[in-house]
């Protein structure tokens, strides 16, 4: 097995260490670029956070960029939630006690299943996320009669890569397994691999973090796809049978 790691710059270290410990060969090539937005500091943001009953973080990037912007001065009266394990740990590192989605469903649907989010009538909820994220969480919480606000603290893009040469490097190295941790990374992978190399991509084992990304991968025509059911390192290692 030879694995390709595709998380954004600086987010692959735990997986690199885990694979090295298990003597599994890998290459790291970030297929997602994450940059801060321009609306990180404003009086409106401070006011919105001050009046929040619940603050939900969609990703570790949401924790990082938001916390940097407000110097980690989070309201003490709010309740905090994290969609996944990594996001939960990122909040824990800031001494923020949070509730997370269940281990067997670390995504929006899992978060919505939590008993503490069943009754949110007239609660002020702030969702901290990237630009253009999924709307499912907000739609369902609005149905539960919560007052919703977004704080979009980062934006995603595809790094500028010469994919023709890079894909040849992957083939020469013997890459046969690709770890994908978001729908955006999958989109960038498929859209940038040259058409003449798509048949090679179809021979690779693709590991994805959720049923949503699994469905997207199979719709793209990828053949061997495994749903790890979470994006954290342990879930990915389990999906790799390591």
């Amino acid at each position: 097995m030879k694995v390709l790691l595709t998380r954004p710059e600086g987010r692959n270290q735990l997986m690199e260490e885990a694979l090295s410990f298990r003597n599994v060969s890998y290459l790291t090539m970030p297929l997602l670029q994450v940059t801060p937005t321009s609306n990180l500091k404003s009086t409106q943001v401070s006011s919105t956070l001050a009046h929040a009953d619940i603050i939900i973080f969609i990703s570790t990037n949401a924790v990082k960029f938001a916390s940097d912007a407000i110097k980690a001065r989070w309201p003490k009266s709010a309740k905090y939630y994290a969609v996944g394990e990594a996001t939960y740990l990122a909040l824990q590192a800031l001494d923020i006690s949070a509730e997370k989605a269940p281990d067997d469903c670390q995504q929006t649907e899992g978060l919505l299943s939590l008993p503490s989010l069943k009754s949110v009538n007239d609660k002020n909820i702030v969702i901290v996320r990237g630009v253009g994220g999924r709307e499912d969480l907000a739609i369902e919480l609005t149905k539960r009669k919560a007052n919703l606000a977004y704080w979009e603290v980062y934006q995603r893009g595809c790094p500028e890569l010469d994919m023709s040469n890079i894909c040849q490097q992957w083939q020469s190295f013997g890459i046969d397994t690709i770890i994908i941790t978001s729908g955006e990374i999958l989109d960038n992978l498929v859209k940038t691999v040259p058409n003449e190399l798509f048949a090679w991509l179809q021979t690779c084992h693709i590991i994805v973090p959720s049923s949503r990304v699994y469905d997207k991968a199979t719709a793209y025509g990828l053949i061997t796809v495994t749903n790890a059911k979470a994006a954290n390192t342990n879930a990915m290692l389990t999906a790799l049978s390591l």
Side-chain angles (χ1 to χ4, degrees):
M1 181 192 305
K2 294 190 176 181
V3 181
L4 179 67
L5 305 178
T6 61
R7 280 184 185 270
E9 188 75 35
R11 294 289 315 284
N12 293 287
Q13 184 179 356
L14 289 177
M15 200 65 194
E16 290 171 346
E17 291 173 354
L19 292 177
S20 294
F21 180 76
R22 292 164 174 79
N23 295 315
V24 176
S25 298
Y26 66 86
L27 285 178
T28 300
M29 177 56 62
L31 292 180
L32 187 68
Q33 189 172 44
V34 180
T35 55
T37 58
S38 58
N39 63 338
L40 291 183
K41 295 181 180 179
S42 72
T43 318
Q44 183 179 1
V45 167
S46 299
S47 175
T48 300
L49 292 175
H51 291 90
D53 298 303
I54 293 171
I55 301 176
I56 299 174
F57 294 87
I58 299 301
S59 66
T60 55
N61 284 316
V63 175
K64 170 182 165 39
F65 289 111
S67 193
D68 287 350
I70 66 168
K71 311 296 184 191
R73 291 194 295 269
W74 292 101
K76 293 182 179 179
S77 58
K79 291 184 67 176
Y80 294 86
Y81 290 83
V83 171
E85 176 74 15
T87 307
Y88 170 80
L89 293 174
L91 288 171
Q92 207 172 47
L94 296 173
D95 292 324
I96 295 175
S97 177
E99 196 170 348
K100 62 178 178 176
D103 290 341
D104 62 350
C105 188
Q106 291 193 354
Q107 49 192 298
T108 296
E109 293 74 14
L111 197 72
L112 287 167
S113 74
L114 294 173
S116 58
L117 285 178
K118 292 293 184 185
S119 180
V120 291
N121 184 39
D122 210 32
K123 296 288 186 183
N124 296 319
I125 299 180
V126 178
I127 298 176
V128 187
R129 68 172 194 173
V131 174
R134 294 174 64 195
E135 302 298 332
D136 307 56
L137 180 59
I139 290 171
E140 181 56 35
L141 290 174
T142 300
K143 287 180 182 177
R144 298 178 188 181
K145 303 189 183 305
N147 305 312
L148 261 294
Y150 282 129
W151 187 20
E152 296 181 325
V153 297
Y154 64 94
Q155 53 199 356
R156 312 168 190 84
C158 185
E160 292 187 11
L161 303 168
D162 181 353
M163 288 304 295
S164 180
N165 287 336
I166 288 172
C167 286
Q168 289 173 1
Q169 292 173 21
W170 295 348
Q171 287 179 293
S172 298
F173 187 79
I175 291 295
D176 54 20
T177 304
I178 303 177
I179 291 181
I180 300 292
T181 53
S182 73
E184 292 88 354
I185 292 176
L186 175 65
D187 290 338
N188 291 343
L189 173 67
V190 171
K191 291 175 183 176
T192 52
V193 168
N195 290 336
E196 64 270 20
L197 295 178
F198 191 75
W200 165 78
L201 183 60
Q202 288 180 306
T203 68
C204 292
H205 182 192
I206 310 296
I207 311 292
V208 299
S210 67
S211 54
R212 180 179 64 87
V213 184
Y214 177 92
D215 291 342
K216 179 180 281 194
T218 56
Y220 272 133
L222 299 176
I223 297 168
T224 308
V225 184
T226 297
N227 179 7
K229 299 183 180 179
N232 62 70
T233 299
N234 287 337
M236 290 294 168
L237 290 172
T238 299
L240 290 170
S241 299
L242 293 175

